[in-house]
């Protein structure tokens, strides 16, 4: 995580808090190390906290929230909302500062009305674009796993992302970052081209987050 920050010229020394969406390993792997090193609190729901993998270890400070709660840290307002995912009590977050809004939707099966409402008006969007249904169907995954991924409590497909993005497009949208792209059942090029088709003619920048590199820093302007 420090290496990723350094790639874009940042350190994590100014980190104030960590917000956890749910207890799956790909989201909490570095949580213990990160919060212990920087002595910062971790915000999460009780369901997430109770189901954290053992290897996360002791956390210096845990702040329990309920889905729907908002927390303010140095002027940044972070609001949580429930999502459907196969975890104990998963949430996603919206962050607001000085009238600018960043909305995050990832690790959720289908974007609900609540998700659409909470992300509405965001100036920057971080959206999961996990899989291509055709590629998933042809994959070597067992049927149980296929169902898990594509079910209501699984992940967003490229088409789910496109549907959500087309709902959330507005004149002041500046940045779109696609995340959680499956290495087996999707390609960055495919996700990008589908999002670009939705954004067609819109000025928002489109980024594809990779597991191997930091996403370029972007500012959400006035
Ligand atoms: Zn997950
Ligand atoms: Zn995940």
């Amino acid at each position: 995580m420090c290496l990723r920050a350094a790639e874009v010229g940042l350190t994590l020394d100014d980190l104030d808090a960590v917000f956890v969406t749910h207890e799956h390993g790909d989201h909490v792997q570095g949580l213990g190390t990160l919060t212990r090193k920087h002595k910062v609190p971790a915000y999460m729901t009780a369901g997430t906290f109770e189901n954290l993998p053992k290897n996360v270890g002791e956390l210096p400070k845990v702040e329990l929230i309920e889905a729907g709660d908002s927390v303010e840290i140095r002027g940044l307002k972070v609001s949580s909302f429930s999502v459907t995912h196969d975890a104990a009590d998963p949430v996603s977050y919206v962050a607001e500062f000085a009238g600018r809004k960043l909305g995050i939707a990832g690790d959720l099966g289908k974007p609900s009305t609540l998700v659409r409402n909470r992300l509405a008006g965001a100036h920057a969007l971080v959206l999961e674009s996990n899989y291509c249904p055709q590629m998933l169907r042809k994959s070597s995954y067992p049927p149980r796993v296929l169902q898990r991924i594509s079910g209501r409590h699984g992940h967003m497909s490229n088409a789910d992302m496109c549907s959500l993005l087309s709902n959330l497009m507005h004149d002041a949208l500046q940045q779109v970052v696609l995340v959680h792209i499956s290495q087996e059942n999707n390609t960055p090029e495919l996700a990008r081209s589908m999002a670009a088709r939705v954004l067609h003619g819109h000025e928002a920048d489109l980024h594809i987050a990779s597991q191997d590199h930091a996403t370029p820093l972007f500012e959400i302007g006035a």
Side-chain angles (χ1 to χ4, degrees), residues 22-27 85-87 107 148 154-155 180:
H22 65 296
E23 67 275 19
H24 288 162
D26 55 326
H27 297 262
H85 189 53
D86 55 354
D107 282 65
R148 205 215 115 216
H155 290 277
H180 218 296

Side-chain angles (χ1 to χ4, degrees), residues 39-118:
K39 299 185 182 61
V40 293
Y43 289 79
M44 67 191 86
T45 63
T48 297
F49 178 57
E50 284 154 17
N51 290 281
L52 283 178
K54 290 265 174 304
N55 63 14
V56 168
E58 284 289 309
L59 299 176
K61 189 169 190 202
V62 174
E63 297 279 2
L64 293 182
I65 53 164
E66 279 182 35
D69 283 354
S70 294
V71 174
E72 203 165 312
I73 298 175
R74 292 210 281 150
L76 180 78
K77 184 179 166 200
V78 181
S79 311
S80 63
F81 53 93
S82 272
V83 296
T84 55
H85 189 53
D86 55 354
D89 188 8
V91 294
S92 198
Y93 296 100
V94 160
E96 288 162 285
F97 186 83
R100 301 285 111 185
K101 177 170 170 179
L102 164 74
I104 304 169
D107 282 65
L108 60 95
K110 294 282 169 270
S112 61
T113 307
L114 175 70
V115 170
R116 291 171 201 269
N117 288 344
R118 296 309 292 268

